Amino acid sequence: MDNLVYVIPKDKNDKENLIKILKEHPEIKFVSLVGVDLGGNATDEKIPIEVMLDDLDSFLNYGIQTDGSSVVLHEIAHLNNARVDLVPDLNVNWFVDYNYEHIDNNLPVGTLEIPSFLIHNGERVDSRSVLIKAIDNFKTKLMDILKTYPHILHSIGISDPYYIEDILLTSATELEFWVKTPNDKADIEKLSTSQMLKEQYWKRTHGTVRTALEKTLILLQKYGLEPEMGHKEVGGVSSKIATNGKTDHVMEQLEIDWKYSNALQAADNELIVRELIEDIFASYGLEVTFAAKPLEGVAGNGEHTHVGVAVKLKNGKIRNLFSPLDMKSDYLSEIGYGSLMGILKNYEVISPFVTSSNDAFNRLKPGFEAPVCIVASLGIDVKTPTRNRSVLVGVVRDIDNHLATRFEVRSPNPLSNTYLVLASLYQSMLDGILAAAKSNKTSKELEAEISKESGVESFYLEKDRTYRSEEDVFEHYTEDERNKLFGKPPATVYENMKNLKEYHEKRKILLDGDVFNEKIINSFIASSLERWETELKDRILLDNINFIRECKKVHNMEEVTDLDVVRWEKINNLRYYMMKNSLDNKCLFTRLREALDDKDYNLASSLQLEMYEKIKEINKLYMRYKRNLFNI
């Protein structure tokens, strides 16, 4: 096992090295071209390695052909024009995925996973390609800005853009996930109580969970991903030991972090990490979910996305473009402030790529440290870096290390499309940097701009918005105050996609440099709305119908009190309102289904929110009702 190949670095994937590696490692029996569609789904195939080696030049240059039915490319790949080519990316690391349940000659069978492009009618139409274009556009446009407005470099100690050799875009993600034993049902009250008491947060892992976590971290090391930490998160309850001595009734939330990389590699790394986590935990009989909100009423899974920008100088030194020359007198450089303002001003067109599913919106609710407000935190004071967990974007700083300065975007979840999230962030940052450079404002003046009160004019930011808060925005402000100061956040997939259509000027920022184009954006909107509609009709509605049916009268006449009768009547009235039609009235579920059938998405969106509120209400009432009964 020690001699297995886990990663083929980008400088080793040429024809000569590949032939040598694959002949020396016959356990690698398959190859898979991994393209990532606009829905964030990665393709997977099992192509015998002999097929690849039979005409290696052609395989590396042209890949394979498939059809658009296998990928999410709405309004791009049609039935009468469905050919999509999968073409290998030769400029990133390739990984080998091993099946430890399939042993041949005492070694697990491996599949060489090659990050790839999806090409339709000669154009790249995949998520990875959008990010690559965003990276190229950012580097080119930023160098133009630095040459045109060189004063923004002076405050970070660079006298002339001539000394810059390269611009470095770094990123890092982290994964939170729930793990449980199969068929175990969550006790929400116990989970909620444990969360409130923080009984699980950063506590010691036990049994199979501990073993699976440790093995995952060791495997990440073998893949060169440099894991930094694995620990328990806030959600979960203590597992039990069964009579056979094995851990039973597992219901825990974990987090795994690994080292940053360049933007594209960071997004690619995330895909392989998810696969490794699922495989290792499954080998110990544990189910893993990366869903943003797998359990209502307890903590969801976040995936904070860190972004940084630096330059490599011709003398070999690295300089962080977000860090001021004097870390004890300023939070950020002019470039840093411009980048942050770009994200905040344009977040309405970033948000759809961050939050594009019903599950993702279930996480973004006040009370669970989930960021829903377009607001940032710089720190209570320059000399005391802090972490405000209630804001959308936090500035991460280390006064003694200028290279550590970066932005932590807290809204993504483990199933967000990291490629499109990063691409939209870079486009927005570029817009803010250009505005800051043109303004000729100092870092102190830019700090005042981003710290302005609502109603104050700004050269770039919107007048009636507040963009900075060092307070807990959920504790310090009411919901009405938050909506007024930071803008009312979208609450459904439809509301979020509508922003991409209504914010025309902000949408243009995505189109700059042809990073996103109208075809890509419209395809993304169409696929997101189709998934939203399908999940609502065929999954969420059915689940809620089953839930309503399970809320049955369970008291008997011997133990009943007037309180039980009143509570049940209230519950039953809600049950009828939600799912029982009459000759004169249609129930909530019927009205929602008809709105979706009629493509009346505005109505469907509002009915979806009403449905969630009613389900939440009946759930709470039913728990109270059962608490007062002896026999249930």
Side-chain angles (χ1 to χ4, degrees), residues 353-382:
F353 302 108
V354 173
T355 311
S356 60
S357 69
N358 290 298
D359 168 57
F361 270 103
N362 287 338
R363 170 179 169 261
L364 297 184
K365 296 177 181 178
F368 295 96
E369 297 177 345
V372 297
C373 303
I374 303 177
V375 61
S377 167
L378 301 179
I380 295 174
D381 61 67
V382 176

PDB file of all heavy atoms in Angstrom, residues 353-382:
ATOM      1  N   PHE A 353     -24.913  32.037  -7.102  1.00  0.00           N
ATOM      2  CA  PHE A 353     -23.947  30.951  -7.281  1.00  0.00           C
ATOM      3  C   PHE A 353     -23.573  30.319  -5.943  1.00  0.00           C
ATOM      4  O   PHE A 353     -23.165  29.158  -5.887  1.00  0.00           O
ATOM      5  CB  PHE A 353     -22.703  31.477  -8.001  1.00  0.00           C
ATOM      6  CG  PHE A 353     -23.005  32.083  -9.333  1.00  0.00           C
ATOM      7  CD1 PHE A 353     -22.933  33.458  -9.520  1.00  0.00           C
ATOM      8  CD2 PHE A 353     -23.386  31.291 -10.401  1.00  0.00           C
ATOM      9  CE1 PHE A 353     -23.233  34.029 -10.744  1.00  0.00           C
ATOM     10  CE2 PHE A 353     -23.694  31.853 -11.636  1.00  0.00           C
ATOM     11  CZ  PHE A 353     -23.623  33.228 -11.809  1.00  0.00           C
ATOM     12  N   VAL A 354     -23.716  31.079  -4.877  1.00  0.00           N
ATOM     13  CA  VAL A 354     -23.442  30.562  -3.527  1.00  0.00           C
ATOM     14  C   VAL A 354     -24.604  29.705  -3.045  1.00  0.00           C
ATOM     15  O   VAL A 354     -24.416  28.624  -2.476  1.00  0.00           O
ATOM     16  CB  VAL A 354     -23.204  31.728  -2.546  1.00  0.00           C
ATOM     17  CG1 VAL A 354     -23.092  31.213  -1.115  1.00  0.00           C
ATOM     18  CG2 VAL A 354     -21.946  32.502  -2.932  1.00  0.00           C
ATOM     19  N   THR A 355     -25.825  30.182  -3.276  1.00  0.00           N
ATOM     20  CA  THR A 355     -27.017  29.567  -2.695  1.00  0.00           C
ATOM     21  C   THR A 355     -28.031  29.324  -3.796  1.00  0.00           C
ATOM     22  O   THR A 355     -28.777  30.222  -4.181  1.00  0.00           O
ATOM     23  CB  THR A 355     -27.627  30.494  -1.621  1.00  0.00           C
ATOM     24  OG1 THR A 355     -26.595  30.920  -0.728  1.00  0.00           O
ATOM     25  CG2 THR A 355     -28.698  29.769  -0.829  1.00  0.00           C
ATOM     26  N   SER A 356     -28.055  28.094  -4.314  1.00  0.00           N
ATOM     27  CA  SER A 356     -28.883  27.821  -5.487  1.00  0.00           C
ATOM     28  C   SER A 356     -29.826  26.637  -5.294  1.00  0.00           C
ATOM     29  O   SER A 356     -30.378  26.126  -6.267  1.00  0.00           O
ATOM     30  CB  SER A 356     -27.996  27.558  -6.705  1.00  0.00           C
ATOM     31  OG  SER A 356     -27.145  26.444  -6.485  1.00  0.00           O
ATOM     32  N   SER A 357     -30.024  26.207  -4.057  1.00  0.00           N
ATOM     33  CA  SER A 357     -30.894  25.056  -3.811  1.00  0.00           C
ATOM     34  C   SER A 357     -31.782  25.304  -2.603  1.00  0.00           C
ATOM     35  O   SER A 357     -31.494  26.149  -1.751  1.00  0.00           O
ATOM     36  CB  SER A 357     -30.064  23.793  -3.587  1.00  0.00           C
ATOM     37  OG  SER A 357     -29.357  23.882  -2.355  1.00  0.00           O
ATOM     38  N   ASN A 358     -32.873  24.548  -2.518  1.00  0.00           N
ATOM     39  CA  ASN A 358     -33.756  24.629  -1.354  1.00  0.00           C
ATOM     40  C   ASN A 358     -32.999  24.292  -0.078  1.00  0.00           C
ATOM     41  O   ASN A 358     -33.161  24.950   0.950  1.00  0.00           O
ATOM     42  CB  ASN A 358     -34.932  23.662  -1.526  1.00  0.00           C
ATOM     43  CG  ASN A 358     -35.893  24.093  -2.606  1.00  0.00           C
ATOM     44  OD1 ASN A 358     -36.508  25.152  -2.527  1.00  0.00           O
ATOM     45  ND2 ASN A 358     -36.035  23.275  -3.644  1.00  0.00           N
ATOM     46  N   ASP A 359     -32.166  23.269  -0.158  1.00  0.00           N
ATOM     47  CA  ASP A 359     -31.381  22.855   1.003  1.00  0.00           C
ATOM     48  C   ASP A 359     -30.477  23.979   1.488  1.00  0.00           C
ATOM     49  O   ASP A 359     -30.373  24.240   2.690  1.00  0.00           O
ATOM     50  CB  ASP A 359     -30.547  21.625   0.624  1.00  0.00           C
ATOM     51  CG  ASP A 359     -29.482  21.298   1.652  1.00  0.00           C
ATOM     52  OD1 ASP A 359     -29.844  21.090   2.828  1.00  0.00           O
ATOM     53  OD2 ASP A 359     -28.295  21.258   1.286  1.00  0.00           O
ATOM     54  N   ALA A 360     -29.842  24.683   0.553  1.00  0.00           N
ATOM     55  CA  ALA A 360     -28.935  25.767   0.931  1.00  0.00           C
ATOM     56  C   ALA A 360     -29.688  26.879   1.652  1.00  0.00           C
ATOM     57  O   ALA A 360     -29.184  27.450   2.627  1.00  0.00           O
ATOM     58  CB  ALA A 360     -28.233  26.309  -0.308  1.00  0.00           C
ATOM     59  N   PHE A 361     -30.891  27.202   1.191  1.00  0.00           N
ATOM     60  CA  PHE A 361     -31.666  28.258   1.851  1.00  0.00           C
ATOM     61  C   PHE A 361     -32.149  27.832   3.228  1.00  0.00           C
ATOM     62  O   PHE A 361     -32.339  28.676   4.110  1.00  0.00           O
ATOM     63  CB  PHE A 361     -32.849  28.676   0.981  1.00  0.00           C
ATOM     64  CG  PHE A 361     -32.502  29.790   0.035  1.00  0.00           C
ATOM     65  CD1 PHE A 361     -32.274  29.538  -1.302  1.00  0.00           C
ATOM     66  CD2 PHE A 361     -32.372  31.088   0.490  1.00  0.00           C
ATOM     67  CE1 PHE A 361     -31.930  30.547  -2.170  1.00  0.00           C
ATOM     68  CE2 PHE A 361     -32.022  32.116  -0.367  1.00  0.00           C
ATOM     69  CZ  PHE A 361     -31.806  31.848  -1.701  1.00  0.00           C
ATOM     70  N   ASN A 362     -32.331  26.539   3.436  1.00  0.00           N
ATOM     71  CA  ASN A 362     -32.735  26.082   4.764  1.00  0.00           C
ATOM     72  C   ASN A 362     -31.668  26.385   5.813  1.00  0.00           C
ATOM     73  O   ASN A 362     -31.973  26.535   6.995  1.00  0.00           O
ATOM     74  CB  ASN A 362     -33.011  24.573   4.739  1.00  0.00           C
ATOM     75  CG  ASN A 362     -34.293  24.237   4.015  1.00  0.00           C
ATOM     76  OD1 ASN A 362     -35.176  25.079   3.882  1.00  0.00           O
ATOM     77  ND2 ASN A 362     -34.400  23.002   3.527  1.00  0.00           N
ATOM     78  N   ARG A 363     -30.404  26.470   5.372  1.00  0.00           N
ATOM     79  CA  ARG A 363     -29.316  26.791   6.310  1.00  0.00           C
ATOM     80  C   ARG A 363     -29.258  28.275   6.637  1.00  0.00           C
ATOM     81  O   ARG A 363     -28.877  28.650   7.753  1.00  0.00           O
ATOM     82  CB  ARG A 363     -27.979  26.345   5.711  1.00  0.00           C
ATOM     83  CG  ARG A 363     -26.758  26.851   6.490  1.00  0.00           C
ATOM     84  CD  ARG A 363     -25.462  26.369   5.894  1.00  0.00           C
ATOM     85  NE  ARG A 363     -24.335  27.073   6.482  1.00  0.00           N
ATOM     86  CZ  ARG A 363     -23.711  28.104   5.914  1.00  0.00           C
ATOM     87  NH1 ARG A 363     -24.087  28.527   4.735  1.00  0.00           N
ATOM     88  NH2 ARG A 363     -22.701  28.687   6.526  1.00  0.00           N
ATOM     89  N   LEU A 364     -29.604  29.117   5.673  1.00  0.00           N
ATOM     90  CA  LEU A 364     -29.417  30.555   5.843  1.00  0.00           C
ATOM     91  C   LEU A 364     -30.576  31.164   6.627  1.00  0.00           C
ATOM     92  O   LEU A 364     -31.431  31.856   6.078  1.00  0.00           O
ATOM     93  CB  LEU A 364     -29.255  31.226   4.491  1.00  0.00           C
ATOM     94  CG  LEU A 364     -28.025  30.794   3.687  1.00  0.00           C
ATOM     95  CD1 LEU A 364     -27.910  31.587   2.409  1.00  0.00           C
ATOM     96  CD2 LEU A 364     -26.754  30.941   4.508  1.00  0.00           C
ATOM     97  N   LYS A 365     -30.589  30.870   7.902  1.00  0.00           N
ATOM     98  CA  LYS A 365     -31.626  31.403   8.789  1.00  0.00           C
ATOM     99  C   LYS A 365     -30.969  31.971  10.037  1.00  0.00           C
ATOM    100  O   LYS A 365     -29.991  31.406  10.538  1.00  0.00           O
ATOM    101  CB  LYS A 365     -32.616  30.309   9.183  1.00  0.00           C
ATOM    102  CG  LYS A 365     -33.407  29.751   8.007  1.00  0.00           C
ATOM    103  CD  LYS A 365     -34.323  28.627   8.435  1.00  0.00           C
ATOM    104  CE  LYS A 365     -35.086  28.074   7.240  1.00  0.00           C
ATOM    105  NZ  LYS A 365     -35.957  26.938   7.628  1.00  0.00           N
ATOM    106  N   PRO A 366     -31.476  33.080  10.555  1.00  0.00           N
ATOM    107  CA  PRO A 366     -30.916  33.666  11.780  1.00  0.00           C
ATOM    108  C   PRO A 366     -30.962  32.675  12.940  1.00  0.00           C
ATOM    109  O   PRO A 366     -31.855  31.851  13.026  1.00  0.00           O
ATOM    110  CB  PRO A 366     -31.826  34.868  12.052  1.00  0.00           C
ATOM    111  CG  PRO A 366     -32.443  35.190  10.728  1.00  0.00           C
ATOM    112  CD  PRO A 366     -32.584  33.882  10.013  1.00  0.00           C
ATOM    113  N   GLY A 367     -29.967  32.779  13.811  1.00  0.00           N
ATOM    114  CA  GLY A 367     -29.953  31.959  15.011  1.00  0.00           C
ATOM    115  C   GLY A 367     -28.990  30.809  14.964  1.00  0.00           C
ATOM    116  O   GLY A 367     -28.744  30.140  15.963  1.00  0.00           O
ATOM    117  N   PHE A 368     -28.403  30.523  13.783  1.00  0.00           N
ATOM    118  CA  PHE A 368     -27.467  29.415  13.666  1.00  0.00           C
ATOM    119  C   PHE A 368     -26.135  29.889  13.085  1.00  0.00           C
ATOM    120  O   PHE A 368     -25.431  29.150  12.420  1.00  0.00           O
ATOM    121  CB  PHE A 368     -28.059  28.307  12.794  1.00  0.00           C
ATOM    122  CG  PHE A 368     -29.271  27.665  13.391  1.00  0.00           C
ATOM    123  CD1 PHE A 368     -30.536  28.082  13.032  1.00  0.00           C
ATOM    124  CD2 PHE A 368     -29.155  26.668  14.341  1.00  0.00           C
ATOM    125  CE1 PHE A 368     -31.672  27.506  13.586  1.00  0.00           C
ATOM    126  CE2 PHE A 368     -30.278  26.083  14.905  1.00  0.00           C
ATOM    127  CZ  PHE A 368     -31.536  26.505  14.528  1.00  0.00           C
ATOM    128  N   GLU A 369     -25.800  31.155  13.318  1.00  0.00           N
ATOM    129  CA  GLU A 369     -24.560  31.758  12.838  1.00  0.00           C
ATOM    130  C   GLU A 369     -24.456  31.717  11.318  1.00  0.00           C
ATOM    131  O   GLU A 369     -23.368  31.757  10.753  1.00  0.00           O
ATOM    132  CB  GLU A 369     -23.342  31.067  13.463  1.00  0.00           C
ATOM    133  CG  GLU A 369     -23.274  31.207  14.978  1.00  0.00           C
ATOM    134  CD  GLU A 369     -22.104  30.462  15.580  1.00  0.00           C
ATOM    135  OE1 GLU A 369     -21.512  29.623  14.875  1.00  0.00           O
ATOM    136  OE2 GLU A 369     -21.788  30.718  16.734  1.00  0.00           O
ATOM    137  N   ALA A 370     -25.607  31.598  10.643  1.00  0.00           N
ATOM    138  CA  ALA A 370     -25.604  31.558   9.186  1.00  0.00           C
ATOM    139  C   ALA A 370     -25.726  32.981   8.642  1.00  0.00           C
ATOM    140  O   ALA A 370     -26.653  33.704   9.013  1.00  0.00           O
ATOM    141  CB  ALA A 370     -26.760  30.702   8.686  1.00  0.00           C
ATOM    142  N   PRO A 371     -24.812  33.398   7.792  1.00  0.00           N
ATOM    143  CA  PRO A 371     -24.809  34.794   7.319  1.00  0.00           C
ATOM    144  C   PRO A 371     -25.871  35.043   6.261  1.00  0.00           C
ATOM    145  O   PRO A 371     -25.870  34.428   5.201  1.00  0.00           O
ATOM    146  CB  PRO A 371     -23.404  34.946   6.736  1.00  0.00           C
ATOM    147  CG  PRO A 371     -23.026  33.564   6.324  1.00  0.00           C
ATOM    148  CD  PRO A 371     -23.700  32.620   7.258  1.00  0.00           C
ATOM    149  N   VAL A 372     -26.784  35.944   6.531  1.00  0.00           N
ATOM    150  CA  VAL A 372     -27.820  36.294   5.561  1.00  0.00           C
ATOM    151  C   VAL A 372     -27.760  37.771   5.184  1.00  0.00           C
ATOM    152  O   VAL A 372     -28.441  38.201   4.255  1.00  0.00           O
ATOM    153  CB  VAL A 372     -29.230  35.966   6.102  1.00  0.00           C
ATOM    154  CG1 VAL A 372     -29.374  34.477   6.330  1.00  0.00           C
ATOM    155  CG2 VAL A 372     -29.513  36.731   7.391  1.00  0.00           C
ATOM    156  N   CYS A 373     -26.967  38.559   5.896  1.00  0.00           N
ATOM    157  CA  CYS A 373     -26.909  40.004   5.670  1.00  0.00           C
ATOM    158  C   CYS A 373     -25.637  40.384   4.909  1.00  0.00           C
ATOM    159  O   CYS A 373     -24.559  39.860   5.198  1.00  0.00           O
ATOM    160  CB  CYS A 373     -26.929  40.759   7.003  1.00  0.00           C
ATOM    161  SG  CYS A 373     -28.353  40.374   8.033  1.00  0.00           S
ATOM    162  N   ILE A 374     -25.782  41.317   3.961  1.00  0.00           N
ATOM    163  CA  ILE A 374     -24.627  41.780   3.184  1.00  0.00           C
ATOM    164  C   ILE A 374     -23.879  42.806   4.024  1.00  0.00           C
ATOM    165  O   ILE A 374     -24.110  44.010   3.942  1.00  0.00           O
ATOM    166  CB  ILE A 374     -25.079  42.370   1.837  1.00  0.00           C
ATOM    167  CG1 ILE A 374     -25.875  41.331   1.047  1.00  0.00           C
ATOM    168  CG2 ILE A 374     -23.859  42.838   1.033  1.00  0.00           C
ATOM    169  CD1 ILE A 374     -26.437  41.853  -0.267  1.00  0.00           C
ATOM    170  N   VAL A 375     -22.983  42.306   4.848  1.00  0.00           N
ATOM    171  CA  VAL A 375     -22.250  43.161   5.784  1.00  0.00           C
ATOM    172  C   VAL A 375     -20.932  42.475   6.119  1.00  0.00           C
ATOM    173  O   VAL A 375     -20.836  41.248   6.098  1.00  0.00           O
ATOM    174  CB  VAL A 375     -23.087  43.416   7.068  1.00  0.00           C
ATOM    175  CG1 VAL A 375     -23.388  42.114   7.796  1.00  0.00           C
ATOM    176  CG2 VAL A 375     -22.406  44.413   7.992  1.00  0.00           C
ATOM    177  N   ALA A 376     -19.914  43.283   6.414  1.00  0.00           N
ATOM    178  CA  ALA A 376     -18.578  42.757   6.716  1.00  0.00           C
ATOM    179  C   ALA A 376     -18.118  43.232   8.079  1.00  0.00           C
ATOM    180  O   ALA A 376     -18.663  44.181   8.654  1.00  0.00           O
ATOM    181  CB  ALA A 376     -17.577  43.191   5.650  1.00  0.00           C
ATOM    182  N   SER A 377     -17.101  42.545   8.583  1.00  0.00           N
ATOM    183  CA  SER A 377     -16.453  42.933   9.831  1.00  0.00           C
ATOM    184  C   SER A 377     -14.963  43.088   9.567  1.00  0.00           C
ATOM    185  O   SER A 377     -14.347  42.231   8.934  1.00  0.00           O
ATOM    186  CB  SER A 377     -16.688  41.858  10.901  1.00  0.00           C
ATOM    187  OG  SER A 377     -15.848  42.052  12.015  1.00  0.00           O
ATOM    188  N   LEU A 378     -14.403  44.197  10.048  1.00  0.00           N
ATOM    189  CA  LEU A 378     -12.960  44.431   9.920  1.00  0.00           C
ATOM    190  C   LEU A 378     -12.224  44.049  11.196  1.00  0.00           C
ATOM    191  O   LEU A 378     -11.086  43.592  11.153  1.00  0.00           O
ATOM    192  CB  LEU A 378     -12.685  45.904   9.601  1.00  0.00           C
ATOM    193  CG  LEU A 378     -13.311  46.483   8.336  1.00  0.00           C
ATOM    194  CD1 LEU A 378     -12.951  47.962   8.203  1.00  0.00           C
ATOM    195  CD2 LEU A 378     -12.847  45.724   7.103  1.00  0.00           C
ATOM    196  N   GLY A 379     -12.874  44.255  12.327  1.00  0.00           N
ATOM    197  CA  GLY A 379     -12.247  44.039  13.625  1.00  0.00           C
ATOM    198  C   GLY A 379     -12.606  45.187  14.547  1.00  0.00           C
ATOM    199  O   GLY A 379     -12.879  46.302  14.086  1.00  0.00           O
ATOM    200  N   ILE A 380     -12.619  44.921  15.838  1.00  0.00           N
ATOM    201  CA  ILE A 380     -12.996  45.962  16.800  1.00  0.00           C
ATOM    202  C   ILE A 380     -12.010  47.118  16.757  1.00  0.00           C
ATOM    203  O   ILE A 380     -12.374  48.283  16.817  1.00  0.00           O
ATOM    204  CB  ILE A 380     -13.095  45.362  18.214  1.00  0.00           C
ATOM    205  CG1 ILE A 380     -14.250  44.350  18.252  1.00  0.00           C
ATOM    206  CG2 ILE A 380     -13.310  46.460  19.258  1.00  0.00           C
ATOM    207  CD1 ILE A 380     -14.360  43.581  19.537  1.00  0.00           C
ATOM    208  N   ASP A 381     -10.725  46.802  16.633  1.00  0.00           N
ATOM    209  CA  ASP A 381      -9.711  47.829  16.393  1.00  0.00           C
ATOM    210  C   ASP A 381      -8.576  47.194  15.610  1.00  0.00           C
ATOM    211  O   ASP A 381      -8.473  45.973  15.503  1.00  0.00           O
ATOM    212  CB  ASP A 381      -9.215  48.455  17.714  1.00  0.00           C
ATOM    213  CG  ASP A 381      -8.570  47.429  18.635  1.00  0.00           C
ATOM    214  OD1 ASP A 381      -7.494  46.904  18.282  1.00  0.00           O
ATOM    215  OD2 ASP A 381      -9.139  47.152  19.710  1.00  0.00           O
ATOM    216  N   VAL A 382      -7.708  48.037  15.052  1.00  0.00           N
ATOM    217  CA  VAL A 382      -6.671  47.557  14.139  1.00  0.00           C
ATOM    218  C   VAL A 382      -5.712  46.586  14.818  1.00  0.00           C
ATOM    219  O   VAL A 382      -5.236  45.637  14.201  1.00  0.00           O
ATOM    220  CB  VAL A 382      -5.892  48.762  13.554  1.00  0.00           C
ATOM    221  CG1 VAL A 382      -4.745  48.284  12.673  1.00  0.00           C
ATOM    222  CG2 VAL A 382      -6.821  49.651  12.752  1.00  0.00           C
TER     223      VAL A 382
END
